Amino acid sequence: MTLSTSRQQTSPSTSRVEEAIRAAAERGEPLRIEGAGNWLDAGWPVSGATPFSLAGATGVVEYTPGDLTLTARAGTSLEEIARVAAAERQWLALDPFGPPTSTLGATIATASAGPLAHAFGTPRDNVLGLETVTGDGEVVRTGGRVVKNVAGFDLTRLFTGSWGTLAVITEATVRLRALPEVDETWALAVDEEAEALDALIARTRFAPLEPLALELVDPSLATHIGVEGGDRAVLLIRLGGNEGSVRSQRDFLRTLGEPLAAPRDVWRSLRECEPERAAVARFSAAPSRIAHSWAAARAAAPRDARAFVHASVGRGIARCILEAGSGAGERLIGAATRFDGTVIFERLPADLWARTRAENAIGENGTERLARGIRSRFDPMGVLNPGILGER
């Protein structure tokens, strides 16, 4: 692990973060770190903190197409990165749920992943290096700007997904991919009965199929994103590669049923399907038990309200999205107590977060003590997003 706090020249935007954190530490006043502000109700509430936005810290700092690497400031939108990379027939294969105005820094800080994680992994697999400012105002740089440089890789992964509780991400270097020659998505109506679903998924897992994404959506969500499935769930299969490879995979799909071409904007519609106010939870188990996770998420979704369920088949994760109100949060918490797997709450009404700890009887354990020790090392005064991970 490499921890660099050397006094390299910092940008004005990074210097502003340093100054703000040091001033907050001196005053003993915590900060609520914000990106574009799209998901401020995600994670436990951060109360009594002064908002500090990175939305103005934007722009691509360095882009080397030959190395498939790009460095940008934390406030740069994913939409802007996609535009710059597309000019070189490249892309950042991260598609977290939410609008394209979501920022790079927030995506990394929350380790948010979308359907493309099936083939390309999560932010921890795509972030090569970070520039951050810790809770005591020190600039820390990890990793490097080329794929082969793995120095500081553990620390890069530590900061990724720490929700801004260890350090504020000010700049990130990410791995890009070449855009596929052919990129197309097919929709296959499927039965949701556990045995039939398990059989279908098993066939795709051991088939001559290498999808970029493999996402199951319930009938309500299928209709919302413009896919015809009638009253059946729909499996979205995204194929990418050269013409010959995609043709071969397309031929195999026809042995599974009658796939139909999905709209070109189907993945964007899926990423932006969540209502402005929503309660969201992820149900996960081993990928081989996806039918089990799917059934739990479906059971949590009432049929008489705006509710969507989708699942990343290869990762074994099913997400349940309920429009806020009418007991949506309580319904998700209740479903979590009955599920014999892992449940992660993404968004809940502020007054319900404490119940997620009480309902699951979570108490002090070795992992929490370790996490608290790490936080005290990087944020000794507790000024960065206190409470957002549910710590006491």
Side-chain angles (χ1 to χ4, degrees):
M1 178 185 297
T2 297
L3 173 63
S4 171
T5 58
S6 58
R7 284 292 177 182
Q8 301 179 30
Q9 184 175 0
T10 59
S11 68
S13 59
T14 301
S15 296
R16 182 177 72 91
V17 176
E18 287 183 82
E19 294 168 2
I21 291 177
R22 287 177 177 170
E26 290 176 2
R27 296 192 305 268
E29 297 178 359
L31 298 176
R32 184 11 166 151
I33 311 304
E34 301 177 2
N38 293 320
W39 267 22
L40 293 182
D41 58 345
W44 284 54
V46 177
S47 58
T50 302
F52 183 77
S53 176
L54 295 171
T58 64
V60 173
V61 175
E62 183 177 335
Y63 179 24
T64 310
D67 287 339
L68 291 168
T69 61
L70 179 147
T71 302
R73 295 189 179 93
T76 309
S77 70
L78 299 181
E79 189 173 46
E80 172 66 8
I81 292 173
R83 184 190 65 79
V84 171
E88 299 290 339
R89 294 288 303 165
Q90 295 178 359
W91 64 332
L92 173 60
L94 292 177
D95 57 346
F97 295 98
T101 54
S102 298
T103 64
L104 178 62
T107 299
I108 297 169
T110 59
S112 296
L116 286 173
H118 176 90
F120 300 109
T122 67
R124 285 190 175 91
D125 303 301
N126 289 277
V127 177
L128 301 174
L130 295 171
E131 177 191 80
T132 67
V133 182
T134 64
D136 53 7
E138 289 293 328
V139 176
V140 173
R141 297 178 176 88
T142 73
R145 293 189 177 183
V146 293
V147 175
K148 64 182 179 181
N149 186 347
V150 295
F153 190 62
D154 287 346
L155 199 57
T156 301
R157 288 194 167 201
L158 179 66
F159 289 152
T160 301
S162 64
W163 285 76
T165 61
L166 304 179
V168 177
I169 296 171
T170 54
E171 191 174 285
T173 299
V174 293
R175 179 199 310 267
L176 302 181
R177 316 278 176 164
L179 278 169
E181 177 185 328
V182 180
D183 185 346
E184 60 188 38
T185 299
W186 295 87
L188 182 67
V190 301
D191 294 326
E192 295 185 68
E193 192 274 327
E195 186 175 344
L197 190 56
D198 279 338
L200 174 65
I201 299 307
R203 286 195 66 186
T204 63
R205 185 175 294 121
F206 300 107
L209 197 64
E210 296 181 357
L212 304 184
L214 195 62
E215 199 80 5
L216 184 65
V217 299
D218 73 346
S220 176
L221 183 50
T223 299
H224 180 79
I225 62 178
V227 176
E228 293 299 328
D231 59 353
R232 303 170 72 191
V234 173
L235 185 63
L236 296 174
I237 307 106
R238 186 171 184 175
L239 305 179
N242 60 50
E243 180 60 45
S245 170
V246 171
R247 185 189 310 113
S248 175
Q249 295 180 75
R250 190 189 308 136
D251 290 342
F252 172 78
L253 286 182
R254 296 193 179 99
T255 70
L256 301 178
E258 299 180 3
L260 300 175
R264 292 186 60 85
D265 64 348
V266 66
W267 295 106
R268 179 163 182 163
S269 297
L270 176 60
R271 291 195 302 272
E272 299 180 28
C273 72
E274 292 181 27
E276 184 175 344
R277 295 179 61 251
V280 184
R282 297 200 305 265
F283 297 77
S284 63
S288 60
R289 301 183 67 212
I290 185 60
H292 175 67
S293 299
W294 175 258
R298 286 284 274 149
R303 302 298 189 266
D304 58 350
R306 186 177 178 187
F308 300 140
V309 176
H310 66 96
S312 297
V313 172
R315 302 177 63 215
I317 298 173
R319 289 176 87 236
C320 182
I321 304 165
L322 306 182
E323 191 167 30
S326 302
E330 291 89 343
R331 190 178 183 98
L332 287 181
I333 292 173
T337 63
R338 297 186 294 272
F339 180 62
D340 60 340
T342 300
V343 179
I344 295 177
F345 296 98
E346 293 183 9
R347 304 171 68 182
L348 283 176
D351 60 340
L352 291 182
W353 281 101
R355 276 189 53 191
T356 65
R357 178 181 293 272
E359 294 286 349
N360 291 283
I362 298 175
E364 179 74 2
N365 56 43
T367 300
E368 287 189 340
R369 287 193 294 273
L370 176 61
R372 192 170 59 246
I374 293 173
R375 286 196 298 273
S376 67
R377 163 62 180 85
F378 290 99
D379 183 19
M381 300 300 294
V383 298
L384 301 180
N385 284 350
I388 198 170
L389 294 181
E391 62 270 27
R392 296 182 186 278

